[in-house]
Amino acid sequence: MRLTYRLSTSLILGVVAVSLAFSFVQTRADTQGLRRDLERNAVVLAESLARSAEPLVEARSYRDLQRLVDRFRDRDQIAGVAVYDANGLTLAITTGLQARLRGDTLPPANGHSGPGSGPNSGPNNEWFGTQFVKLGGRPMHIALLPLRDDGTVIGGLAVYHDAAYIDMQAAALWRRAFTGVMIQTVLIALVTLVTIRFGLGRPLARMARWLHDLRVGEASKAPELPEAGVFEPLTREVAQLASSLTAARAAAEQEARLRDLHESKWTAERLRVFVRNRLDGRRLFVVSNREPYEHFYRGGAIESSVPASGLVTAVEPILRACDGTWIAQATGDADRATVDEFDRAHVPPDHPQYMLRRVWLTPEEEQGFYSGFSNEGIWPLCHVAHTRPVFRLDDWEHYRAVNQKFANALLEEIAGEEHPAVLVQDYHFALLPRMIKQARPDARVAIFWHIPWPNPEAFGICPWQRELLDGLLGADLIGFHVQAHCNNFLDTVDRVLEARITWEHFAVMRGGHETQVRPFPISVAFDEDAFEQTGAPEPELERLKLFESLGVRASLLGVGVDRVDYTKGIPERFAAIERFLEKYPAYRREFTFVQIGSPSRTHITRYNDLGREVAEQADRINRRFQTGEWRPIVFLNTKHSHRQIQPYYRLAHLCMVTSLHDGMNLVAKEFVSARKDAQGALILSCFTGASHELSDALVVNPYDTEELAGAIWRALEMDPAERMARMQRMRATVEANNIYRWAANLIGELCDIRVSAQAAPPACSIVAEAASAEVL
């Protein structure tokens, strides 16, 4: 009620003030117009009478003059006319005017009081003109004109107007304005009360009731909130609050259920608490090539998007918990428009909880650092997939320069922080740990290598293997997906550098600094309700609609989800499908395989050629087997969001992951996580890290076409009970070892490391010492 009173009072006072100001200006303008009209009419009348009076004054015909001036007796608004001689003496005056003037005869014209202002003064030019005066206590207007004979002034003629009507009309205007203001005030007050009652009161009341129900756990659906206008910011914040409250309640309920069952599942909330406790108030700094939020111009507005990345899922809860900073390359075309003068942006955009520091790369730097050395050099070097790595000096120089640029940005962010924790991501920043450690030996530095690590012979191809290894050993902790990659790394260090390796602790001592090497198998969030659809049709009907959207008529669905990369084994997969249809023709017109292949690094020749090769292979197989509305392979060579991929995961009879070499491969775990119905079979390459955990998958050698074709047949023919048991065991594994547990293990291990405050020796001297020692 108080709010309504304040709003109404403020609005009414504002309207009254504006109306009165407008009335004042209007009344003043009307009054000035009346005065101008009176002056103009008075001068016209005076000029007409002057022409009639001049011959009478010259002839001294005073009787005729009196008759002339008496003609204006009792005229509306005209008080009278007076004629004066050259000395200012009255020659004739309208009967009754003299009494109204009360002895005043010839007042000074134009406000002057010089000669000619008294009855005995001769006239001069200062007499003549028009003016408003008070005569006899009444407002008058005088128009005084000279009377001439051959150019000589022989007297004057004055026309007196009663100007009181102007003040009366002004008063009437004010009365009308005041009455109008009062009527407007009453109407506005009524409209304001109605508007507040129905336009604001009802939506706010609905919102309040819904928030109350949400707070007590009784709300079942969102309220009907206004979507635009004055309610838009409030609606957005209320929706965000409701979402956060619902998520918090769900997390609390889940934790309570787990405690009741004596289980310990890692969730985003549990990870936040864990990280906050382990960091003990310190901030975490993450460095990656890919940023967690990109900003783009769309339709004249700036919108944010989250790149499809398991890394964002894993690391965001940590940074939200400790008010951390994420340092990454800017990739959105509107990124510059959303940062401050220090290249920082608060994210997430709708509910900022940590800082994003963006680093800008030139096209030449991005080409040399990312496309060149990282993806044409290190990527094929570490993936034993029979693609020759390319190493160029210019690419190496850009790689080193960009690592230094990121190091400089990180050092700016950690300035003033005591014992900061730094988590570096992936093969793009192999030199970064050493650069950080040299400048800040008190920092805890970890790097997680998301791709495989090859054996020493394969890694020896790289001309700068010593520099890469030395850069990595600047970290306190190096993480890989599986133990085999840790072993390969330690073997490589043992082969290339002078260092002491403690195999029982999996640690490297070099230059007085110890680096621990550990396996941390990465995973997915395993959020069963993230993409759950309410009111979804039966799986068979939904699968039929999915096939119809693809223009295919079939009953059995297989799916593959990959970037179009030569390490993913897509051509080998298609060859196995072709062999499967040759060996088992009964599945023709029944089984269709959908390959979701997101284009990747197409500016690199090898990737561009691969995309064309995969498309041509799919077309060739389809031409061989397709009949009517059925074809064996549907190749969707476009980017798909997680939400778009989920229906394929949920409805597929089998999922094929045939990587030729992979660090982990999260597609396998995403498929398992999506199968809430515990159906579907997973065909998994033995060369993936995931095969070490998901032993209930059909593990195959992707190079063996016969084995892979047989695995497709086995997946389709498997007994339903066996298929369900396998999937249930795999789901239990992924649920227990989810992405939050991976992050907790990594951060926990990093926080347990003791760091020395002494500066590390320069990287170049360490490499030189090691090289000379090996030569000796």
Side-chain angles (χ1 to χ4, degrees), residues 133-191:
V133 296
K134 280 276 190 177
L135 294 176
R138 193 171 181 84
M140 288 281 187
H141 176 267
I142 303 175
L144 181 62
L145 268 68
L147 301 175
R148 290 184 174 86
D149 180 26
D150 294 332
T152 302
V153 176
I154 60 175
L157 183 141
V159 177
Y160 292 84
H161 277 82
D162 190 343
Y165 78 95
I166 295 178
D167 294 339
M168 294 173 61
Q169 290 194 24
L173 288 173
W174 270 111
R175 286 194 298 273
R176 287 197 297 271
F178 182 77
T179 302
V181 168
M182 294 301 296
I183 294 174
Q184 290 178 16
T185 300
V186 172
L187 292 176
I188 289 173
L190 292 175
V191 172

Side-chain angles (χ1 to χ4, degrees), residues 481-512:
H481 285 299
V482 296
Q483 185 62 53
H485 299 159
C486 299
N487 297 342
N488 285 345
F489 176 79
L490 293 176
D491 283 338
T492 305
V493 172
D494 193 28
R495 182 78 61 90
V496 177
L497 298 179
E498 185 69 24
R500 187 175 79 250
I501 299 176
T502 308
W503 284 96
E504 58 269 27
H505 296 131
F506 289 96
V508 179
M509 180 65 70
R510 175 170 165 78

Side-chain angles (χ1 to χ4, degrees), residues 208-379:
R209 285 196 301 271
W210 178 68
L211 287 175
H212 172 269
D213 293 342
L214 185 68
R215 178 173 57 83
V216 299
E218 296 178 356
S220 58
K221 63 178 182 178
E224 298 177 359
L225 301 178
E227 297 181 355
V230 69
F231 283 100
E232 185 174 1
L234 180 61
T235 300
R236 185 171 57 251
E237 291 302 322
V238 168
Q240 181 64 35
L241 175 63
S243 176
S244 301
L245 184 58
T246 302
R249 179 178 286 116
E253 291 175 354
Q254 185 179 39
E255 289 294 334
R257 287 195 304 269
L258 294 174
R259 285 195 298 270
D260 186 56
L261 296 173
H262 303 288
E263 295 180 0
S264 182
K265 177 183 175 181
W266 280 94
T267 64
E269 290 299 326
R270 181 180 176 186
L271 177 61
R272 289 191 184 98
V273 174
F274 174 83
V275 169
R276 190 179 295 116
N277 292 336
R278 294 307 304 270
L279 289 176
D280 193 22
R282 297 188 300 273
R283 300 176 64 207
L284 177 70
F285 298 85
V286 174
V287 183
S288 70
N289 180 63
R290 176 173 292 181
E291 60 180 339
Y293 290 90
E294 300 171 303
H295 288 89
F296 294 96
Y297 289 107
R298 291 192 177 98
I302 296 178
E303 296 183 4
S304 65
S305 65
V306 180
S309 172
L311 180 64
V312 177
T313 303
V315 176
E316 259 217 319
I318 308 175
L319 293 179
R320 290 176 185 236
C322 62
D323 185 28
T325 298
W326 192 318
I327 302 167
Q329 179 189 354
T331 53
D333 58 16
D335 280 352
R336 283 193 182 274
T338 55
V339 296
D340 59 17
E341 64 272 22
F342 303 107
D343 296 327
R344 299 176 182 140
H346 287 87
V347 291
D350 56 346
H351 185 44
Q353 291 180 290
Y354 66 94
M355 189 74 69
L356 171 60
R357 168 68 184 273
R358 285 172 169 147
V359 178
W360 315 97
L361 301 185
T362 65
E364 294 77 16
E365 286 176 330
E366 185 168 1
Q367 173 62 33
F369 154 74
Y370 181 75
S371 300
F373 194 81
S374 295
N375 290 315
E376 288 188 277
I378 298 180
W379 178 269

Side-chain angles (χ1 to χ4, degrees), residues 6 38 122 129 148 154 206 364 390 412 450 486 516 640 660 683:
R6 288 198 298 268
L38 178 58
R148 290 184 174 86
I154 60 175
R206 287 198 304 267
E364 294 77 16
V390 178
E412 290 177 4
H450 287 263
C486 299
Q516 298 182 15
H640 287 65
L660 306 181
I683 300 175

Side-chain angles (χ1 to χ4, degrees), residues 521-582:
I522 199 168
S523 189
V524 295
F526 200 86
D527 186 355
E528 292 185 317
D529 300 325
F531 300 97
E532 188 173 3
Q533 295 178 328
T534 58
E538 291 296 323
E540 291 77 11
L541 181 59
E542 191 176 0
R543 191 180 300 113
L544 179 61
K545 290 183 177 180
L546 184 62
F547 277 131
E548 288 178 353
S549 68
L550 298 173
V552 175
R553 184 182 295 275
S555 58
L556 300 174
L557 173 64
V559 67
V561 180
D562 306 271
R563 289 184 303 106
V564 180
D565 189 293
Y566 51 79
T567 66
K568 302 303 180 182
I570 300 176
E572 289 76 8
R573 190 178 310 168
F574 285 0
I577 293 171
E578 182 177 23
R579 181 57 179 152
F580 165 74
L581 295 174
E582 290 174 348

Side-chain angles (χ1 to χ4, degrees), residues 698-717:
L698 300 178
V699 180
V700 297
N701 177 359
Y703 293 98
D704 188 339
T705 304
E706 293 294 331
E707 182 185 16
L708 193 50
I712 298 174
W713 178 85
R714 185 181 174 189
L716 296 176
E717 292 290 332

